[in-house]
Amino acid sequence: MEIVWTNQALHKLNKFVDYIAQDDVVTAENWALKLIEKTDQLIEQLESGRIVPEYNEPNLRELIFGNYRVIYRMRKEENIIYIQTVWHVRQDPPKSSVGLR
């Protein structure tokens, strides 16, 4: 299984890192590394995240990391996990999962 970060997910990750770095650069870097390490668990435990409740699609799941939701799509036939985006828990997700494909 391979993990691929989409451009959208990398953009969101960088925005959160920049925000955290305003207070503490080291904390921001450590946070990002730990979040990425958390996604690495998917290689061995593909379905360890829960189905995103707003969309109820079996292949669209999320890992919770502190106050953040890491949204990923499983493509078993391609042997790839796509990290689609990262949301803060206070953010409202889009009404549709269309942008997460």
Side-chain angles (χ1 to χ4, degrees):
M1 201 52 71
E2 177 185 1
I3 296 177
V4 174
W5 283 72
T6 64
N7 288 336
Q8 177 182 354
L10 289 172
H11 175 74
K12 296 287 280 206
L13 178 66
N14 286 327
K15 283 182 73 169
F16 289 126
V17 168
D18 290 345
Y19 179 78
I20 296 166
Q22 292 175 10
D23 291 327
D24 189 334
V25 173
V26 173
T27 297
E29 290 172 355
N30 287 336
W31 174 84
L33 290 173
K34 288 178 183 173
L35 185 141
I36 292 167
E37 284 176 12
K38 175 83 172 175
T39 65
D40 287 345
Q41 82 182 36
L42 297 173
I43 293 170
E44 298 296 325
Q45 302 168 359
L46 176 62
E47 296 181 7
S48 61
R50 71 178 186 171
I51 295 172
V52 179
E54 291 86 354
Y55 308 125
N56 199 28
E57 294 179 30
N59 290 328
L60 188 64
R61 295 179 173 255
E62 68 182 354
L63 291 175
I64 305 299
F65 180 75
N67 290 326
Y68 297 87
R69 300 168 68 184
V70 180
I71 311 301
Y72 68 97
R73 185 170 296 280
M74 302 182 302
R75 299 269 192 212
K76 293 178 186 176
E77 66 281 358
E78 298 173 25
N79 215 25
I80 298 176
I81 300 163
Y82 291 97
I83 307 297
Q84 299 294 142
T85 193
V86 180
W87 294 325
H88 190 278
V89 294
R90 291 186 184 166
Q91 291 178 297
D92 289 330
K95 296 195 184 306
S96 166
S97 67
V98 171
L100 303 174
R101 297 183 191 268

